[in-house]
Amino acid sequence: MQVESTVTQNKPATQTKAAPVLSRFVAAFLVFILLCGAMAASSFDRLKPADFAFNTWTTWAIRDFLARPKTPDVVFLGSSLMLVPLDGVDADFIGKTIDGAAHHQSLFFENHFKKYSGKEISSFNFALPGEMPSDAYLITRFLLEGKHAPKVLVYGVGPRDFMDNLLPSPSATDPFQYLSRFGDWSDHASLIVPDWQERFNLELSRLVYTYGQRSQLALDANRIADLVMDKVCPKPPSKMTDLEVYSLRRSIMPDYRPFEVAPKTCLFRPTTDANRPKFLDNIAEYKKRYKTLKTETFNGQMSFLGDILAIARERHIHVMLYAMPITDINRGLLSDTSWQLYRSRLRSIATTSGASFFDMQESGAFQFTDFQDTVHLHSGGGAKLLDLMAQTMSKDDQAGKQLDLAAQNTDSDRQAKKTLPTSARPSVNLAGKQGGPL
């Protein structure tokens, strides 16, 4: 009887101890929910899409594009298959070293298009290393709209864009990390984050405000900490330049900010046939990329390509779609079935959407000697490519109509400014903004 009495007496004591713990947890949880609600209602430290902790190829392009005072007539999209020749050709064309992080146009293309058409145009290079159609879709959907919509979109694609066996998911690319900030892409979540863990992370980000805004909160917290530390423990003067500090950090901590790109670290120097670097054999890399045809990846990226063309059509942007040339060595890694499926789907999607399609592999213009590795053209081969693009675009009726419309609008704006009464014209103050009289 004594033992039973002891057990009976201890049981309420355990319950008594557990009750305050549970009540504290519930109270803390309710406070957290209320705090998240208040932060959401006040938009506390809400993510600023163009506020980047550091710069990558993607962020440099975004910053430059949004800062342009005039919308470019032509925007280039694509992976390094487009990026490398665009920058390399311009280095040869102007005879100067080009910083890839800062150069986002094609002077060579603009010059040759004028030669063939007589029209002056402006261009912007939004080709990025590793850019997938899913990334190009985000660029098109969130950035190429309204006053930032060009008249023509030049998109160069290759087999890797649709058949990359090494791609975990579309959300794994550097472009996605930054482009996804600019709008709601949840309607494409099943394609961008097909894995249940990624999908759970997405839903958690949308449900819990602080978790969804974690990158902006962490960035601003770091900035505050840096300001405090600079006051308390100022950094000693250093004789090293910013570039030297960057290079030293990359050598010591190569996995820290792996995609970071500092100014003057991605240079394209003028070359000739005599001094171009030796051919790089990257066949082992592409054996891994093409190892198996992941149907989910292929169909998903083709779906994004279709969406790009559909959005462009809605916004009256004409698309020039080019199947980029690759070497026979690289082509040989693909089965005939995969190769024919890739080409037929490109033609079908282009035809359905009203885009102009050109298969550069069929042009016969490119030889093995035009490439710097099995897929990338060097600047000599790139000049051939851009010249052909300028020729085909100058003969394309739809592209011509869109560019003519842009020119007419520009002329109308200029004429309106000339005829505007002096009293109605905005005055400019010393800061260069509209305001009262000087």
Side-chain angles (χ1 to χ4, degrees), residues 33-240:
I33 293 297
L34 291 173
L35 178 62
C36 287
M39 293 173 73
S42 62
S43 298
F44 177 79
D45 218 22
R46 184 177 292 278
L47 179 68
K48 305 172 184 67
D51 187 16
F52 309 120
F54 57 92
N55 280 311
T56 68
W57 278 102
T58 306
T59 65
W60 282 118
I62 292 172
R63 287 181 189 276
D64 193 4
F65 182 76
L66 296 179
R68 291 287 169 109
K70 179 181 179 295
T71 303
D73 300 308
V74 177
V75 168
F76 292 93
L77 292 177
S79 65
S80 55
L81 268 65
M82 282 290 291
L83 172 66
V84 171
L86 281 167
D87 283 346
V89 170
D90 266 10
D92 292 356
F93 183 61
I94 64 176
K96 295 180 180 179
T97 297
I98 281 177
D99 183 357
H103 187 74
H104 294 109
Q105 66 181 118
S106 177
L107 298 170
F108 179 93
F109 180 85
E110 293 172 12
N111 176 274
H112 279 236
F113 183 78
K114 182 179 180 181
K115 180 175 72 173
Y116 292 123
S117 68
K119 300 173 184 177
E120 289 190 3
I121 60 169
S122 59
S123 64
F124 189 89
N125 177 14
F126 231 130
L128 301 167
E131 183 179 303
M132 303 292 289
S134 49
D135 302 315
Y137 164 76
L138 295 178
I139 293 173
T140 306
R141 178 175 176 178
F142 296 141
L143 299 182
L144 306 185
E145 63 174 349
K147 65 178 183 179
H148 294 298
K151 293 302 177 184
V152 178
L153 198 57
V154 177
Y155 192 6
V157 297
R160 195 278 322 176
D161 301 350
F162 306 90
M163 306 180 192
D164 195 346
N165 189 64
L166 300 181
L167 181 73
S169 77
S171 64
T173 67
D174 174 69
F176 172 82
Q177 301 305 316
Y178 298 99
L179 294 166
S180 59
R181 296 162 161 238
F182 285 85
D184 181 12
W185 47 270
S186 58
D187 55 339
H188 281 64
S190 60
L191 293 176
I192 294 177
V193 285
D195 182 75
W196 74 267
Q197 292 175 309
E198 293 178 319
R199 188 64 176 270
F200 176 77
N201 187 62
L202 169 64
E203 297 302 330
L204 189 62
S205 297
R206 299 173 66 187
L207 182 63
V208 182
Y209 183 83
T210 51
Y211 187 65
Q213 307 300 318
R214 62 192 181 279
S215 60
Q216 189 68 47
L217 291 167
L219 177 57
D220 290 340
N222 286 336
R223 286 170 173 166
I224 294 171
D226 288 341
L227 289 173
V228 173
M229 289 302 295
D230 286 343
K231 295 290 185 181
V232 178
C233 302
K235 297 178 182 177
S238 173
K239 294 182 180 180
M240 296 178 67

Side-chain angles (χ1 to χ4, degrees), residues 302-410:
M302 281 293 177
S303 177
F304 279 116
L305 175 61
D307 289 341
I308 292 169
L309 304 190
I311 292 172
R313 189 172 186 174
E314 290 175 3
R315 297 176 183 174
H316 305 291
I317 303 171
H318 184 63
V319 179
M320 306 286 292
L321 182 65
Y322 294 89
M324 299 289 281
I326 57 176
T327 63
D328 291 338
I329 297 174
N330 194 274
R331 155 67 185 91
L333 297 177
L334 295 166
S335 68
D336 290 342
T337 302
S338 296
W339 177 248
Q340 294 304 328
L341 180 62
Y342 158 72
R343 298 170 74 191
S344 63
R345 286 288 293 275
L346 289 183
R347 289 185 181 278
S348 175
I349 292 173
T351 301
T352 302
S353 66
S356 299
F357 176 69
F358 301 90
D359 192 335
M360 290 301 186
Q361 190 75 12
E362 288 185 341
S363 69
F366 301 92
Q367 290 78 44
F368 182 80
T369 52
D370 292 320
F371 292 83
Q372 65 181 34
D373 58 35
T374 66
V375 290
H376 295 93
L377 294 163
H378 56 57
S379 58
K384 285 185 181 181
L385 174 74
L386 294 177
D387 182 71
L388 281 172
M389 287 181 168
Q391 287 187 52
T392 53
M393 199 172 95
S394 68
K395 298 175 182 178
D396 190 89
D397 290 339
Q398 289 300 315
K401 288 178 181 178
Q402 290 299 97
L403 293 171
D404 286 342
L405 180 62
Q408 291 171 10
N409 291 339
T410 300

